[in-house]
Amino acid sequence: MSYRKTLKLLCGVAGGSFVLVAAAAADSRGYLGGRGEAAGRWSRFTVLQAAQPAWTPASHTPAPSGHAWDFNWDKRDPSLLTNGKKKESAGEDPSTEQDNSKPKATRNILLIRHSQYNLSGSSDKERILTPLGREQAELTGKRLAALGLKYDVLIHSSMARATETAHIISKHLSGRVELVSCDLLREGAPIEPVPPVTHWKPDAVQYHEDGARIEAAFRRYIHRADPKQKEDSYEIIVCHANVIRYFVCRALQFPPEGWLRMGLNNGSITWLTIRPSGRVALRTMGDAGFMPPDKLTRT
């Protein structure tokens, strides 16, 4: 029997290092046709296999990294709101009080990146949407309407491109959705990115100022529902790529300095879900699949 046929037979019985070791042993006994060229081949195969680590489930399972999930990341964990001190008053049931302080609703936050805008504008007022940008906003508004959700509020950055995008989107939403402008959501440099990039290097003071503002926006808008909220909510926030990427990293408890590793198309939808328990899920990240390919931009 040739050594090729023997190898096929062995592979049908077992795999990995056993095959090579068994084949090499067979060859050394002359079962594979002598100790000429075939022996040289098996010798090389055995050395290669020996250099590989033995397969075990543990060696192919990534080791846990980072910190455990912090359920009190938004400082709204009901069990910790009283700093561990129990209120004592006549006739007051502690279990009822604790139950009343627990959030019961889920918050859905849809983060929208503004549409394409005029990059050559010298001031914010001149950086308005391009014709394509207005078309993108229309498509995003139609997509949000098609989801069939009852939106509670539409909050937007006070910058011109985000404000214009929000107003176009609002025309497609059924019912009266309140529009709220917020300066905290303006574009900026949230934190120095890791790894660094060469094409964009803000001064340290910009990270210091913008970072504090964007973190304040995160704490204002990204948190679990208030205990008084009875039904699930759907809120739209129209802002900027840097802000959205930072929000996602913070909400998922990923290293925030990794925000620049992600990219977002204009008019895309990023959907965060925050459960009453404090768990956070990312349902979509930069979804722009509802736009034709020729309408996609990332400026």
Side-chain angles (χ1 to χ4, degrees), residues 226-246:
D226 187 273
K228 297 178 181 178
Q229 182 177 323
K230 304 302 180 184
E231 299 181 357
D232 294 351
S233 59
Y234 297 87
E235 305 161 42
I236 301 172
I237 299 179
V238 180
C239 53
H240 309 269
N242 294 359
V243 177
I244 294 172
R245 293 181 285 188
Y246 178 79

Side-chain angles (χ1 to χ4, degrees), residues 74 76-82 94-106 224-232 274-278:
D74 59 352
R76 295 169 184 252
D77 188 332
S79 63
L80 300 176
L81 287 177
T82 58
S95 61
T96 302
E97 180 188 356
Q98 187 175 12
D99 186 65
N100 291 336
S101 66
K102 288 183 178 179
K104 301 173 181 61
T106 295
R224 75 191 81 189
D226 187 273
K228 297 178 181 178
Q229 182 177 323
K230 304 302 180 184
E231 299 181 357
D232 294 351
I274 306 177
R275 303 293 182 187
S277 64

Side-chain angles (χ1 to χ4, degrees), residues 68-80 224 253 275-280:
W69 180 262
D70 177 13
F71 280 93
N72 196 35
W73 60 273
D74 59 352
K75 310 305 177 188
R76 295 169 184 252
D77 188 332
S79 63
L80 300 176
R224 75 191 81 189
Q253 299 186 26
R275 303 293 182 187
S277 64
R279 293 183 182 273
V280 181

Side-chain angles (χ1 to χ4, degrees), residues 191 245-246 249-250 252-259 261-262:
I191 187 174
R245 293 181 285 188
Y246 178 79
C249 288
R250 286 281 286 108
L252 297 179
Q253 299 186 26
F254 293 163
E257 61 271 16
W259 63 273
R261 303 171 200 171
M262 299 176 279

Side-chain angles (χ1 to χ4, degrees), residues 108-272:
N108 295 274
I109 303 172
L110 290 88
L111 301 161
I112 315 297
R113 189 191 176 193
H114 61 78
S115 301
Q116 186 191 65
Y117 68 102
N118 174 28
L119 289 170
S120 61
S122 59
S123 65
D124 180 59
K125 291 183 178 179
E126 296 176 354
R127 293 173 187 149
I128 59 176
L129 300 186
T130 64
L132 175 56
R134 290 191 288 272
E135 191 174 351
Q136 290 170 338
E138 297 280 359
L139 290 169
T140 304
K142 291 177 181 178
R143 173 59 175 170
L144 291 171
L147 293 176
L149 303 173
K150 182 183 177 182
Y151 301 107
D152 300 272
V153 66
L154 197 167
I155 307 164
H156 60 84
S157 158
S158 57
M159 299 187 83
R161 54 188 182 271
T163 300
E164 189 176 357
T165 301
H167 280 271
I168 294 174
I169 289 174
S170 68
K171 296 187 303 182
H172 296 274
L173 306 181
S174 60
R176 296 187 61 182
V177 179
E178 181 185 8
L179 270 73
V180 178
S181 178
C182 180
D183 286 333
L184 293 178
L185 294 167
R186 295 172 71 88
E187 184 63 301
I191 187 174
E192 189 169 357
V194 177
V197 293
T198 57
H199 63 277
W200 185 70
K201 288 189 174 182
D203 295 331
V205 66
Q206 187 174 351
Y207 286 120
H208 181 70
E209 294 176 354
D210 290 353
R213 172 177 54 78
I214 295 172
E215 173 64 20
F218 173 81
R219 297 186 185 193
R220 173 177 292 186
Y221 296 115
I222 313 298
H223 55 77
R224 75 191 81 189
D226 187 273
K228 297 178 181 178
Q229 182 177 323
K230 304 302 180 184
E231 299 181 357
D232 294 351
S233 59
Y234 297 87
E235 305 161 42
I236 301 172
I237 299 179
V238 180
C239 53
H240 309 269
N242 294 359
V243 177
I244 294 172
R245 293 181 285 188
Y246 178 79
F247 279 9
V248 169
C249 288
R250 286 281 286 108
L252 297 179
Q253 299 186 26
F254 293 163
E257 61 271 16
W259 63 273
L260 197 52
R261 303 171 200 171
M262 299 176 279
L264 295 174
N265 287 326
N266 295 113
S268 61
I269 301 172
T270 297
W271 187 336
L272 284 172

